[in-house]
Amino acid sequence: MTTRKISRKPTRKPPARGVAEGVQGPLDQARRLVVKVGSALLVDARTGRLNRSWLETLVEDLLRLRRRGCELILVSSGAIALGRRHLGLPAGALRLEESQAAAAVGQIRLAHAYKELLEAHEVTVAQVLLTLEDSEQRTRYLNARATLESLLRLGAIPVINENDTVATAEIRYGDNDRLAARVAQMTSADCLVLLSDVDGLYSADPNRDPAAKFIASVAQITPQIEAMAGRSASDVGSGGMATKIAAARIAVGAGCHMCIAAGAHPHPLKRIETGARCTWFLPASSPVAARKQWIAGTLRPVGAIHVDEGALRALQAGKSLLPAGVTGTLGRFESGDTISVLSAAGVEVARGIAAYSDAETARIMGRHSAEIAALLGFRGSDELIHRDDMVILQPSGASASTGAAGGTSAGGVP
Ligand code: GLU
C-alpha cells in the first residue's frame, strides 16, 4: 500500500504555557517561526569559513523557542559562499556554473553544520532544497507544503535553501529573503525573521544620509515604503532591502509578521525578544484568516460535492467534512483544487480545498474514513475537506469572511 501526500494543514497545538509571558512581541508569541539566516552572517567574509561560534548562539536561541512550544523552520543561505572558498574560486562575481558547483560543495557543509549543532541537542534536522517552481506551480507547492507539515509534525527542524545546483538565472529566486517568505506563506507561519547585516528599514540609506530615520514598524507597505528600499552593503548575500520589502509583501499578505533584524551579534533572536532595534511588518489578519479569505475570494471552484443534512450540521459546527457525509460529486476536480460544498437543495454552503479528486471522492463517499485505504489503495487524509481549508458561506452564498483579491496561481496562496 502506498501513502499519498495531502495538502491540508494540521490543526495547531494551542500556544505553550509561557508564550504569553515576558515581553509581548510577535516573536514571543510565535507558534510557527521561519528564520532566514543570511550568508554574510554565516560565513566569515575574510576567511570564507563558517562562523561556528555565532551559529552556536543562534542554535541556543532556536532551542529555547522550541522548548516554549514554537515550531521552527530555518531558511539558510551560505552554500555558495562556503563552497567557493573550498573550491578556491576567486573573489567577485561567479559564472552560473561556478556558483552551481560552489553550491553543491557548500550545501553539504552547511547541512552538516546544522546537523551537528542541532543533533547534539537531540533535534532532528531535515534538509529541504526548493526551486522557484516549487512555490509557483500548484501541485509542487502542495507537495512541498505537505512535506514541510510532515517534518514539523514529526518534530524535525527543516533547514531550507534554494536548490542552487539546478537553478539557472531564469528559474531561480536568487535571494533567500523571498524564498523564506514563500516558505512562511506555504506553512501558514505566524512569524518570519530575516536575520541580516542591516538592522531594519530606514527612510533613506543610512550610510549616505545621516538624517535617515529608522522605521520601527510598518502597518502597510505603501509606495513610499517601497521607495525607501536601498541596497545593503553586504558582500556575500544577494538580497538587498528591495527583496526584503518584496518578502514582507508576501509574508503580511499571508497573515505573517515579518521582522528585519541585525543578525551579526551573538544570540540574535534573544536580542529581538529583549527589544533590540528591528523593523516589524504587521499583517492585517492571522495566517488562518488570510488563508480562508483566499479560499473564499480568490479561486473559482472547479467542481462541487453534495452533502447530507448531518454533514451540513457538522460543517456549521466547525467540523471537517468527512467522506461519509458526501452524497454526490459534480464536475472534474483534483486533490488540491477548490470545490463548492452544496446542500441537498443545491445551495453553496461552503467552499474548500479537496483532499481527493472527483473520481476518488465518488469511490469513498458515504463510507467511513477507516475504509479509505482499502477503497483507494493508498492512505490519504481522513477528511475530504479539512476545516482549516474550508470557509463556511452565508445561506445567500456570500462569504462569511471578507473577500480577498489576488491571482489564481499557487504564488498567491496564503
Ligand atoms: N542560496 C544561496 C546560497 O545558499 C544564497 C542566496 C542568498 O544569499 O539570499 O548560497
Side-chain angles (χ1 to χ4, degrees), residues 173-209:
Y173 279 102
D175 70 89
N176 277 0
D177 295 326
R178 285 175 306 147
L179 174 64
R182 282 281 189 241
V183 167
Q185 176 191 53
M186 199 180 260
T187 55
S188 297
D190 49 8
C191 189
L192 165 64
V193 173
L194 302 182
L195 290 178
S196 169
D197 55 346
V198 289
D199 59 0
L201 179 67
Y202 289 80
S203 58
D205 183 348
N207 295 318
R208 292 195 201 138
D209 183 352

Side-chain angles (χ1 to χ4, degrees), residues 78-104 106 164 169 172 235-236:
I80 296 172
L82 280 176
R84 68 184 296 157
R85 173 197 164 264
H86 203 81
L87 289 173
L89 291 164
L94 295 177
R95 289 204 307 270
L96 174 66
E97 57 277 19
E98 285 174 334
S99 50
Q100 289 175 323
D164 292 308
R172 73 194 302 251
D235 276 332
V236 282

Side-chain angles (χ1 to χ4, degrees), residues 282-308:
L282 310 173
S285 61
S286 69
V288 172
R291 186 167 170 73
K292 292 206 171 201
Q293 279 177 11
W294 168 75
I295 293 167
T298 308
L299 286 188
R300 196 169 317 138
V302 297
I305 49 171
H306 280 284
V307 297
D308 63 21

Side-chain angles (χ1 to χ4, degrees), residues 233-283:
S234 163
D235 276 332
V236 282
S238 52
M241 190 53 75
T243 64
K244 290 178 176 47
I245 303 287
R249 264 196 186 287
I250 298 167
V252 297
C256 178
H257 287 81
M258 192 190 100
C259 166
I260 302 172
H265 309 267
H267 295 289
L269 297 175
K270 195 170 172 189
R271 284 185 82 245
I272 299 172
E273 286 178 288
T274 50
R277 181 140 108 164
C278 60
T279 300
W280 280 104
F281 292 82
L282 310 173

Side-chain angles (χ1 to χ4, degrees), residues 23 25-30 32-38 41 54-66 68 70-75 114 118 157 191-196 258-278 280:
V23 188
L27 184 52
D28 302 86
Q29 293 171 54
R32 184 172 284 183
L33 169 68
V34 179
V35 179
K36 182 257 173 175
V37 188
L41 305 173
W54 173 83
L55 189 55
E56 277 167 10
T57 71
L58 172 65
V59 163
E60 280 169 28
D61 286 2
L62 291 168
L63 292 173
R64 197 171 34 79
L65 290 168
R66 188 178 149 97
R68 214 165 66 182
C70 179
E71 292 175 319
L72 300 170
I73 299 173
L74 280 168
V75 174
Y114 281 109
L118 282 158
I157 298 188
C191 189
L192 165 64
V193 173
L194 302 182
L195 290 178
S196 169
M258 192 190 100
C259 166
I260 302 172
H265 309 267
H267 295 289
L269 297 175
K270 195 170 172 189
R271 284 185 82 245
I272 299 172
E273 286 178 288
T274 50
R277 181 140 108 164
C278 60
W280 280 104

Side-chain angles (χ1 to χ4, degrees), residues 304-313 315 321-331 333 339-347 349 358-368 384-385:
I305 49 171
H306 280 284
V307 297
D308 63 21
E309 273 299 312
L312 193 55
R313 276 197 300 278
L315 298 189
L321 177 66
L322 302 177
V326 179
T327 55
T329 74
L330 276 177
F333 54 88
I339 58 171
S340 293
V341 179
L342 308 176
S343 68
V347 177
V349 289
D358 61 298
E360 290 160 353
T361 304
R363 277 155 65 192
I364 59 176
M365 67 188 195
R367 308 291 286 264
H368 197 271
L384 179 56
I385 305 178

